[in-house]
Amino acid sequence: QVQLVESGGGLVQAGGFLRLSCAASGGIFSAYAMSWFRQAPGKEREFVAGVRESLVTSYAASVRGRFTISRDNAKNTVYLEMNRLKPEDSAVYSCAADPTGRLTGRYDYWGQGTQVTVSS
């Protein structure tokens, strides 16, 4: 059983920076594709960014160029660096693990999420 724990959320002003972390335990972290999702109140959960086992990354259009996903397999951790934050980036951010390693959309494991609030 894989457990995912997010951290790093908080309140930041527009234009600011946050770095989210997602620490994994159990399973073979290096074999998983890891993604970040977010959900704002009253909205559907949306894909933000993902990194494959091969280290190939993928981003939602709304965050491309501002957010960077990375992983440290030695630490079983995936990161999301968020720059030039906007109020519309406010949401609960969750990480998820895809055991296929290829961002197929099969997310068997989810974290509890961390709140990000961007003030204008």
Side-chain angles (χ1 to χ4, degrees):
Q1 185 73 11
V2 175
Q3 293 186 325
L4 304 174
V5 179
E6 302 94 338
S7 61
L11 173 64
V12 64
Q13 289 188 330
F17 167 87
L18 278 176
R19 187 194 197 204
L20 306 183
S21 299
C22 171
S25 59
I28 305 173
F29 177 79
S30 60
Y32 298 149
M34 298 297 298
S35 291
W36 286 95
F37 288 80
R38 67 186 182 187
Q39 186 168 22
K43 294 188 176 182
E44 297 284 323
R45 184 171 62 197
E46 63 175 350
F47 171 83
V48 176
V51 55
R52 300 182 181 186
E53 175 190 13
S54 63
L55 303 184
V56 172
T57 57
S58 179
Y59 295 92
S62 59
V63 307
R64 191 175 294 119
R66 298 188 298 123
F67 290 12
T68 302
I69 188 170
S70 62
R71 66 190 299 162
D72 185 337
N73 289 337
K75 295 182 178 180
N76 288 356
T77 301
V78 62
Y79 304 98
L80 184 68
E81 294 186 347
M82 305 185 293
N83 290 284
R84 303 194 305 277
L85 282 160
K86 305 175 182 180
E88 52 264 43
D89 293 319
S90 298
V92 174
Y93 284 71
S94 300
C95 64
D98 178 343
T100 70
R102 293 177 284 114
L103 295 177
T104 62
R106 174 187 158 186
Y107 293 102
D108 288 357
Y109 308 105
W110 291 84
Q112 292 297 309
T114 185
Q115 177 70 48
V116 171
T117 303
V118 184
S119 63
S120 57

